[in-house]
Amino acid sequence: MTEPSVIFVDDDPHIRQAIAQTLTLEDLPVSCFEGAPSALGHISADYEGVVLCDYNMPEMNGLDMLERIRAVDEAIPVIILTGQGDISTAVTAMQQGAYDFIEKPFDHDELIELLRHALEKRHLALENRRLKAQLRHLARPGPRILGDSPSMQKVMATIDPILDISANILLHGETGSGKDALARYIHENSARSAHNFVAINCGAVPENLIESELFGHEAGAFTGADKRRIGKIEHAHKGTLFLDEVESMPMPLQVKLLRVLEEQRVERLGSNQVQEVDVRIIAATKADLKKLSEEGDFRPDLYYRLNVVKVDIPPLRERKDDIPTLFHHFVLIAAARYDRESIPLNAGQAARLMQHTWPGNVRELRNLAERYVLLGLAALNENEPLATDNVAGRQTLAEMMDGFERSAIISALNTCHGSIKDTMVQLGIARKTLYDKMRKHGLDKAQFKD
């Protein structure tokens, strides 16, 4: 259901019906309520519309409702209907923060114009709020996680509150979904960022060497150990240790890692002395560690030690709205690396990206962006990488149209570097239409500024 642009409150059913018909004809979605208490349950800080209410109502009058709404969000415009000649009420309403008032009986054209102005003000207020939030996000040092899709918003909502808490984190996601990037983001935006971020792929190091890699060794600890070596855990002291493919860690080593997590101490191979360590562990896996622990292929006690906070990273096929932004970002990086021109995709090409299921996830998209910078459009047709996928990837016509519209707007914003005026000209649409569609698709012009 479309969120109403106007919430109208009046205890007179005839007036509610008349206003509803008038606003509907003017393409202003409206929800009508007979009393303030029922209407207030539909008003939140992210409500994008305005409130129109009568002053004289049972249970709660217009001024009381105004006070309750302003407690939720002072930027929600509230317009109050007052009786003819009731100037004192109107003055009080304006003093208490009402957007405006209108006297009964009122001119419908005047009401529509007032509502449209109030809606424009509300949209500008929300846009400004979103821009400030994004600027705060972009102002953070280190790597950034791109994507405004609901699934990525859920990931960030889980991560942000625990950035400065030294709780261990388990990242779960398919190969190429961005586990390494998210681990680096967590480290660089935490209180540990001044210290080392140490990464080791547990599946890439031979089993006979991984213990030495993690714990270090003293000179002479084994054949070939001609000098002391600090291990990854000790090197990550006061910082972050990232264990990628942790499901590949040999079982005997899991016992030793568990002891480190419990005691916060590490002992180098060939040494009888222990070193105190303060390390945050971020582990990553593409496997179901809980299932592996139940089957005896991973230690349950280590699983629960690592799984203090679990973050499920969505595959790219479940966050397709982020694909044009990610691709443009990777193209800019590749263009700078290879000293090539960055040519934005047109709407049709961007739509093709969104139709693919991306089995290789973000890594596959990044590789395609690099090939695109080096080979041009030929990269998009190479071995038909963007051919329509299986039945699971099919979309309805409405979904395809929405995807095409979003990708067309993103492409134009990228080309125009976030300029609303230039984007309006390129797409041939009015400013209000562009802003409405950007809100619909969760786009912010700040994302496209250079």
Side-chain angles (χ1 to χ4, degrees), residues 298-363:
F298 195 87
R299 288 191 63 93
D301 42 9
L302 178 59
Y303 164 69
Y304 288 112
R305 274 286 183 177
L306 297 174
N307 190 32
V308 177
V309 177
K310 184 182 179 185
V311 181
D312 290 303
I313 305 175
L316 194 55
R317 63 181 176 275
E318 294 179 8
R319 47 180 295 214
K320 289 191 173 184
D321 287 352
D322 295 333
I323 289 173
T325 300
L326 286 167
F327 186 81
H328 181 67
H329 172 71
F330 293 140
V331 164
L332 291 177
I333 293 174
R337 179 186 303 158
Y338 300 120
D339 194 24
R340 295 290 186 92
E341 183 181 0
S342 169
I343 303 175
L345 297 179
N346 61 36
Q349 293 159 348
R352 285 183 64 202
L353 292 179
M354 296 178 70
Q355 292 299 309
H356 187 47
T357 54
W358 299 103
N361 291 297
V362 177
R363 185 177 297 145

Side-chain angles (χ1 to χ4, degrees), residues 138-196:
L138 294 176
R140 290 173 170 174
R144 302 182 181 93
I145 302 300
L146 298 178
D148 292 317
S149 61
S151 57
M152 284 307 297
Q153 289 179 7
K154 183 179 178 181
V155 168
M156 300 313 295
T158 303
I159 288 298
D160 283 343
I162 60 169
L163 288 175
D164 289 329
I165 301 173
S166 294
N168 296 329
I169 298 175
L170 179 62
L171 305 180
H172 176 259
E174 295 178 3
T175 299
S177 58
K179 299 185 288 294
D180 178 88
L182 188 58
R184 291 179 184 276
Y185 171 87
I186 293 170
H187 172 77
E188 292 294 341
N189 290 280
S190 74
R192 295 175 174 267
S193 60
H195 301 281
N196 293 331

Side-chain angles (χ1 to χ4, degrees), residues 355-381:
Q355 292 299 309
H356 187 47
T357 54
W358 299 103
N361 291 297
V362 177
R363 185 177 297 145
E364 181 185 356
L365 182 67
R366 183 182 62 220
N367 291 342
L368 179 64
E370 290 199 8
R371 293 200 303 274
Y372 173 71
V373 168
L374 295 172
L375 304 176
L377 291 176
L380 302 185
N381 300 315

Side-chain angles (χ1 to χ4, degrees), residues 203-214:
V205 181
E207 186 172 339
N208 62 329
L209 295 179
I210 190 170
E211 184 175 3
S212 174
E213 282 291 310
L214 279 173

Side-chain angles (χ1 to χ4, degrees), residues 379-392:
L380 302 185
N381 300 315
E382 185 181 73
N383 298 323
E384 294 297 324
L386 304 182
T388 302
D389 292 283
N390 56 27
V391 175

